[in-house]
Structures are given as C-alpha cells and as structure tokens.
C-alpha cells in the first residue's frame, strides 16, 4: 500500500497554492497510481476530487476547463455523477438533464453510487411525477451495464409501453451523438438489438443480454436474468389499481415470485414510483426490510423527496422552466382539494401513501372560516400542547377560541424543532392570544417543558391555568382520535389560502391520518383530540399583564 506516501505528497502540494501545471501533474499521478494498483482507486478518486475542488477556486482559463473535463472523463466509469456530467458535456445547458436538476437529484445520485460501491443492497426512490426520477435511473441503468457488459440487468414496469419507452431511451443514450458515451466507454458497442424482446446485447451476444426491459406481466421466469442491477418502476397503472387490495396482492405476487426470483445474490435493486397506498409493492417490501428479522442484514435506503418542503416551498423549482415552482404545486394541491381528493395529492406529490378508506378527515367533511372571528369577546381561549417525543415528531399546539358555542382553531404551533426552539414558540403563542388554559401532554421525564413555559410567563407578569397529563399508548391515542373525530369536524379551521406555513402543515397532518393504516405522524389529530377533552373543562378568567404597583 502506498497511501501514506501519497498523503504526504498531496499535503505538500496543497501548500504550493497549485495552478494548472501542478494540478495536471496531480491528475497524472492519480492515473499512474491506478494503473499500478487498481485497489488504490478510492485514493485516486480523492486526488481527482482535490483537483476539481481546486479548479473551482482558481480564475477560469481554457487550460483549467480542459483539465476539468479530462478529470470527469477519467472518473466517469467509476463515479455516476461524473458520468452524468460528462455524458452531457456537448449539450446546451438548457437541454441538459442533470445539471439543471442537480438539486435535489444529487441525493439520488449519491445513493446510486452507494449501490455501486456495495454500501447498499437496495434503494427506494420516491419523487413526484415529471421531476426526473425515471430519467436519472435510465442513466444509471446504462452506466451500470456499461461498466461490466457481462452482467445482465433487468428493468420492469406495469406495461409494455412503459418498458418500451425506457428501452428506446437507453439506446438513445448509447447511440445519440449529442451524448459522449463513446468517449467514456470507447470499447463498448451494441452487438444486437431486439425490439420485440426489448433487449440490448453489448459487445457480444450472450444467453442473458446486458439489458432487458420487460413488463411485470410479461415473461420473466426462465427468460430473464439479473446479475447486475434490477429496477422495479411504477408497477401499478394508476390509482384505481393501486388502492384495490386484490390488485395489490396480484402485483405483489408477480413482483415477489417472478421479478425478485430473477435477481441473483450479488445483484442490486432499485424500487421506485408513486407510493399510492400502504399496501402497495414498495410498502410491502419495506415492511419486510424494516420489521422482519430475516432481513436484518439487508442494507437499504429510502430517498423520498416531496413536492413541497416543510416550509411549503417547492423542492423542484428547476431553471429554464423544467420543473415546478411553489405556485405550481400549490395550484395542484388546491385542485386536489377542490376535487375532495387530498389523498391523491399526498400520494402522488408528497410521497405519503394514505389508506383512503381509513381516512377520518376529508375537506368535504370539515368546516372552515375566513380567519375573521365573530365580533364579540370570546367565551374563552385555550390550547392543547402535544409535545414531541423524538423520531421526527412535531410539537402540535392548536389555539381554540370558543364563541357562542362554536370553536375556532385560530392559530397553531406545529414545529419539529427541539424544546429549545418549541418552548419559546409556545410561550409567545400564549402571550399573543392571551390564552387562559393550557394543557400539556408529557411524561414524568419531560415535566421541565411546561415548567419552563410557566416560569417564563410569570417573568412576563402573565399567569394562566396550566395542567398536564401523561400520554396514552398508541392504541389508546388512535382510539381517542377516532372517538373525537365528529367533534373535530364540527370545529372551524382556517380556509386554504390564508393559512401560515405551520398551519398548512398542521392541516396536512390531519388529512393524512388514517384509522385503518399505519400513521407516520399523528401529532396534529392527537392534539385536536386532546383539545376536545378540554372543551368541557369549565370557564377561565381572562389574565392580563400589568405593572407591579411597587
């Protein structure tokens, strides 16, 4: 091993404030080391990364630009991102696929690299429609098979039309002169194409072709093999099929009995597509990986990027009008809500599958108001605080105004920060609305939460009726939400369009709750059920801050 010596060399080079000649020599050293010992590839890639990083820090020049592309070309067979960038080297920027979409698709690229580096066995990719998930995987499929053309790779989807489009796209990446495939893999060529079987033979004709694309309903057993990369892409034709329990079982049988049986032990797997329902193929596969002890050694990762982030802003606002901005996605959401089908919005765009038949709260069954309260003093103002207990939970605290027997959820705290972030938010909300009664749901080990709030309120000269109680089990929480659902539906919530970002997330969390399925987070509906328990807790005097008389 020569890494120690090379580390001293690169440390010395870094002190020289290197320019083109030094960086070019370093690149030459990386290539020479790799030719001497292929096992030194990880170290050689560290050297080439350093070269690229330094190029970005130096004034631009033709020499440095040429060196940058030469480095990418050398890296391309080893690094998926370098392959993507170099493949589109000669294409106009606005016509490139990856560079304009590098955020957030870089997350997907890194995960695919982990598959290639044998750090993962399996990858799940969930992105909204038309944001690039199939195209990025198409590049990966071609790259994977081109690195070792003796391996067999298998792509499947719900229909022949989809697999045919993927097949033709692979041929385009290899043959289209606007791409630089021939420069990256000069020794590769297509030996045979079979459009009927959707197979591509690279370099020579083999029993199992380098690339095969085949519908999940096509002939897989005996006809296909996968020793390289297997891809299962959108195995349901749409919503009606995906939410049918009969179709879920049928497609799972085809996936598990036919497709998965084609994958050899050392092959890698990508599962991708819309998460329509908890019982779809990806849901069942993830349950095996996450909960079955027999799969404990299976290394997997989930890349799930929603249309709108936690601040209700777009994750896919690509330049050149290639993606969807915040306004685009909000219009889509409003359309789904108008059609009383927010479940489809959550599934298609937010990557949150929902069991439709178990959903307790739908916009059509809820009551909304325009944010203007009745012109009279409220009978009381109270708030329930559902604290977060880790695992990405949110602190959820709806503020309720009771006026003439009606209940208005006028404001909320809904934040997944730690207690040093959320406790001040709760305190400020209490002071903002002059809330008279607050109930915290907390354990004996988290009593410092309400104690801190109470102490800070007293410093402000404000006193409120603060109570607390222990949370129930998950089963009892679900039961309470179900029992209180009719009362929750009778309360008034802010209508869409005037909600804050936190309020919007709060409402999405309510709409995504299902009694029949598994809920990732139930903080908002649980806090609303807790609020219902407080409805009949009596009246409270209004508290006002005042200056001490002495």
């Amino acid at each position: 091993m020569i890494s120690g010596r090379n580390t001293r060399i690169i440390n010395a080079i870094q002190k020289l404030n290197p320019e083109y000649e030094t960086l070019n020599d370093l690149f030459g050293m990386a290539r020479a080391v790799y030719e001497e010992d292929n096992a030194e590839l990880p170290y050689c890639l560290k050297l080439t990364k350093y070269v690229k990083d330094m190029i970005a820090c130096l004034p631009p020049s033709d020499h440095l630009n040429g060196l940058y592309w030469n480095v990418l070309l050398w890296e391309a067979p080893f690094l998926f991102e370098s392959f993507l960038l170099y493949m589109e080297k000669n294409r106009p920027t606005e016509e490139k696929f990856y560079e304009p979409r590098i955020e957030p698709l870089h997350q997907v690229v890194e995960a695919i690299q982990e598959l290639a580096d044998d750090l993962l066995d399996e990858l799940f990719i969930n992105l909204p429609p038309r944001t690039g998930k199939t195209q990025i995987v198409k590049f990966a499929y071609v790259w994977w098979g081109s690195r070792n053309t003796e391996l067999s790779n298998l792509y499947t989807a719900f229909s022949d039309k989809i697999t045919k489009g993927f097949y033709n796209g692979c041929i385009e990446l290899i043959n289209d002169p606007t791409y630089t495939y021939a420069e990256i893999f000069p020794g590769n060529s297509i030996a045979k194409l079979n459009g009927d079987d959707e197979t591509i033979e690279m370099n020579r004709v083999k029993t199992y072709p380098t690339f095969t694309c085949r519908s999940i309903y096509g002939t897989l057993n005996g006809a296909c093999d996968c020793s390289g990369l297997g891809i299962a892409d959108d195995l349901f034709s749409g919503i009606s099929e995906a939410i049918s329990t009969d179709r879920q079982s049928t497609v799972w049988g085809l996936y598990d009995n036919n497709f998965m049986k084609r994958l050899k032990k050392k092959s890698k797997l990508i599962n991708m597509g819309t998460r329509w329902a908890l019982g779809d193929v990806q849901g069942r596969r993830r349950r095996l990986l996450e909960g079955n002890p027999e799969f404990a050694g299976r290394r997997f990762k989930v890349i799930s990027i929603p249309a709108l982030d936690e601040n209700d802003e777009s994750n896919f606002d690509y330049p050149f009008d290639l993606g969807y901005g915040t306004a685009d996605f909000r219009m889509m959401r409003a359309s789904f809500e108008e059609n009383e089908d927010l479940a489809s919005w959550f599934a298609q765009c937010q990557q949150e599958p929902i069991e439709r038949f178990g959903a307790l709260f739908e916009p059509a069954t809820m009551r909304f108001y325009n944010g203007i309260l009745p012109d009279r003093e409220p009978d009381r103002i109270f708030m329930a605080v559902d604290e977060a207990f880790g695992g990405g939970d949110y602190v959820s605290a709806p503020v309720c105004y009771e006026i003439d027997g009606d209940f208005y959820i006028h404001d909320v705290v809904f934040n997944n920060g730690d207690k040093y972030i959320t406790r001040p938010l709760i305190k400020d909300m209490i002071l903002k609305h002059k809330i008279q009664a607050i109930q915290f749901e907390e354990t004996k080990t988290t009593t410092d939460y309400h104690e801190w709030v109470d102490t800070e309120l007293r410093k402000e000269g404000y006193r409120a009726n603060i109570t607390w109680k222990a949370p129930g089990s998950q089963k009892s929480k679900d039961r309470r939400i179900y029992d209180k659902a009719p009362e929750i539906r009778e309360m008034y919530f802010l209508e869409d369009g005037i909600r804050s970002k936190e309020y919007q997330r709060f409402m999405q969390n309510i709409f995504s709750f299902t009694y029949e399925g598994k809920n990732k987070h139930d903080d908002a509906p649980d806090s609303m059920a807790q609020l219902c328990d407080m409805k009949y807790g009596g009246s409270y005097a209004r508290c006002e801050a005042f200056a001490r008389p002495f």
Side-chain angles (χ1 to χ4, degrees):
M1 299 295 289
I2 55 177
S3 295
R5 174 164 57 90
N6 285 343
T7 300
R8 292 192 295 273
I9 293 173
I10 193 170
N11 289 338
I13 290 173
Q14 287 175 334
K15 297 177 182 179
L16 297 176
N17 189 22
E19 295 184 357
Y20 168 75
E21 291 80 6
T22 308
L23 294 175
N24 192 48
D25 289 344
L26 187 58
F27 175 44
M29 186 182 83
R31 288 179 296 176
V33 169
Y34 177 71
E35 290 175 4
E36 179 183 328
D37 185 358
N38 291 357
E40 283 288 321
L41 177 62
Y43 180 74
C44 296
L45 292 174
K46 289 182 180 179
L47 298 183
T48 55
K49 180 182 184 302
Y50 173 75
V51 172
K52 290 185 296 183
D53 291 344
M54 289 305 303
I55 289 174
C57 297
L58 294 172
S61 70
D62 290 341
H63 289 304
L64 288 173
N65 186 58
L67 176 58
Y68 170 77
W69 288 112
N70 286 338
V71 171
L72 286 186
L73 176 59
W74 185 81
E75 290 178 333
F78 314 116
L79 299 181
F80 181 41
E81 185 162 63
S82 296
F83 171 78
L84 285 165
L85 293 170
Y86 198 85
M87 274 284 281
E88 300 187 290
K89 171 178 179 285
N90 300 327
R91 296 169 70 86
T93 302
E94 64 274 13
E95 295 181 12
K96 292 180 179 181
F97 168 74
Y98 180 60
E99 191 173 323
R101 298 171 175 85
I102 197 165
E103 292 297 337
L105 293 189
H106 179 67
Q107 299 175 52
V108 179
V109 170
E110 285 187 320
I112 290 172
Q113 187 67 50
E114 289 181 64
L115 281 177
D117 293 341
D118 195 29
L119 300 176
L120 290 175
D121 302 307
E122 194 164 339
L123 175 64
F124 294 81
I125 302 173
N126 303 126
L127 310 178
R130 312 300 303 165
T131 55
K133 63 178 179 292
T134 297
Q135 186 67 8
I136 198 76
V137 171
K138 189 183 301 174
F139 273 99
Y141 194 61
V142 169
W143 176 67
W144 203 285
S146 300
R147 285 155 37 103
N148 184 348
T149 60
E150 292 299 299
L151 296 178
S152 53
N153 305 278
L154 179 60
Y155 170 87
T156 191
F158 74 85
S159 74
D160 291 329
K161 186 175 182 180
I162 300 299
T163 58
K164 188 72 170 182
F166 194 90
Y167 164 78
N168 288 329
C170 291
I171 297 172
E172 179 184 2
L173 293 179
I174 295 170
N175 283 343
D176 190 327
T178 65
Y179 295 108
T180 60
Y181 179 88
E183 293 182 50
I184 299 171
F185 297 107
N188 289 353
S189 62
I190 295 178
K192 183 181 178 181
L193 295 174
N194 188 323
D196 293 332
D197 289 340
E198 298 175 20
T199 59
I200 305 172
E201 305 265 17
M202 297 299 294
N203 297 340
R204 71 181 185 89
V205 177
K206 302 174 285 296
T207 302
Y208 294 111
T210 308
F211 301 107
T212 298
C213 302
R214 191 68 50 86
S215 161
I216 193 69
Y217 296 98
T219 304
L220 290 171
N221 286 339
C224 301
D225 178 83
C226 182
S227 57
L229 178 65
I231 301 172
D233 180 10
D234 264 334
L235 300 183
F236 293 97
S237 61
I239 179 175
S240 59
E241 183 174 85
I243 64 175
S244 165
T245 54
D246 289 341
R247 296 304 298 165
Q248 288 175 9
S249 296
T250 298
V251 176
W252 171 256
L254 294 171
Y255 170 86
D256 198 43
N257 295 326
N258 294 356
F259 173 75
M260 289 298 295
K261 298 303 184 289
R262 301 298 94 208
L263 274 61
K264 292 188 174 178
K265 183 176 180 179
K266 291 187 177 181
S267 63
K268 302 297 183 180
L269 173 61
I270 294 177
N271 297 287
M272 56 188 288
T274 299
R275 287 301 321 279
W276 288 109
L278 294 169
D280 63 15
V281 168
Q282 292 191 65
R284 293 193 183 199
R285 181 69 184 173
R286 283 179 59 178
R287 280 204 296 272
L288 282 175
L289 296 171
E290 294 167 358
N292 193 310
E294 302 298 332
F295 287 81
R298 184 79 170 170
R299 302 165 299 173
F300 71 97
K301 176 178 283 189
V302 179
I303 301 294
S304 181
I305 308 176
L308 295 173
D309 64 15
E310 64 275 7
N311 296 315
D312 212 37
E313 302 289 337
S314 172
N315 278 315
F316 301 94
D317 195 1
Y318 302 140
F320 311 115
D321 291 326
L322 295 173
Y324 297 100
T326 298
D328 298 318
F329 280 128
R330 289 180 181 177
M331 283 191 291
M332 291 182 198
R333 182 176 63 200
S335 181
F336 278 112
E337 190 165 359
E338 177 68 21
N339 295 331
E340 299 179 7
D341 190 19
L342 275 177
S344 289
W345 158 260
F346 285 117
Q348 289 188 54
C349 300
Q350 293 299 98
Q351 314 313 307
E352 296 180 17
I354 298 174
E355 295 294 354
R356 282 165 165 73
F357 305 114
L360 282 184
F361 307 102
E362 292 282 355
T365 65
M366 307 287 280
R367 305 170 78 180
F368 302 97
Y369 75 111
N370 63 0
I372 300 176
L373 293 167
D375 188 17
R376 57 148 291 178
E377 281 290 305
D379 299 306
R380 61 179 175 139
I381 307 170
F382 58 103
M383 177 171 69
V385 182
D386 180 31
E387 297 177 29
F389 296 98
D393 287 343
Y394 281 76
V395 169
S396 181
V399 176
C400 184
Y401 279 62
E402 181 184 354
I403 304 175
D404 281 343
D406 289 321
F407 298 86
Y408 300 85
I409 308 305
H410 200 54
D411 210 343
V412 299
V413 172
F414 194 71
N415 191 290
N416 64 348
D418 61 33
K419 65 182 180 181
Y420 298 106
I421 294 173
T422 59
R423 288 186 310 194
L425 294 177
I426 297 294
K427 182 207 74 172
D428 292 342
M429 187 66 75
I430 293 170
L431 293 173
K432 175 183 175 182
H433 293 281
K434 297 182 173 59
I435 299 172
Q436 302 141 12
I438 308 99
Q439 184 180 89
F440 290 82
E441 194 168 80
E442 59 188 19
T443 66
K444 292 181 179 179
T445 60
T446 61
T447 54
D448 67 316
Y449 199 99
H450 85 264
E451 289 173 351
W452 184 94
V453 173
D454 191 21
T455 299
E456 294 301 310
L457 289 174
R458 290 172 183 269
K459 290 179 181 178
E460 299 280 350
Y462 189 88
R463 294 185 179 231
N465 185 339
I466 294 178
T467 59
W468 58 95
K469 66 174 185 176
S473 65
Q474 186 60 52
K475 185 176 181 180
S476 65
K477 285 172 60 176
D478 289 348
R479 185 73 221 179
R480 180 174 68 172
I481 294 170
Y482 182 76
D483 289 342
K484 298 297 183 183
E487 294 179 49
I488 294 172
R489 296 190 196 102
E490 290 177 354
M491 294 182 172
Y492 287 93
F493 296 85
L494 291 178
E495 64 185 14
D496 195 17
I498 61 172
R499 300 167 187 160
S500 67
K501 291 177 180 178
E502 285 202 17
Y503 203 118
Q504 186 66 44
R505 290 199 301 270
F506 175 82
M507 293 305 299
Q508 290 178 3
N509 193 240
I510 287 177
F511 290 136
S512 66
F513 180 82
T514 171
Y515 187 67
E516 295 181 4
K518 180 180 179 182
N519 296 285
K520 184 177 181 182
H521 296 295
D522 58 7
D523 310 298
D526 189 39
S527 65
M528 285 301 303
Q530 183 183 343
L531 195 74
C532 288
D533 288 336
M534 299 178 66
K535 281 173 57 178
Y536 308 108
S539 59
Y540 302 90
R542 176 179 292 277
C543 299
E544 299 284 352
F546 60 91
R548 292 185 179 182
F550 55 87

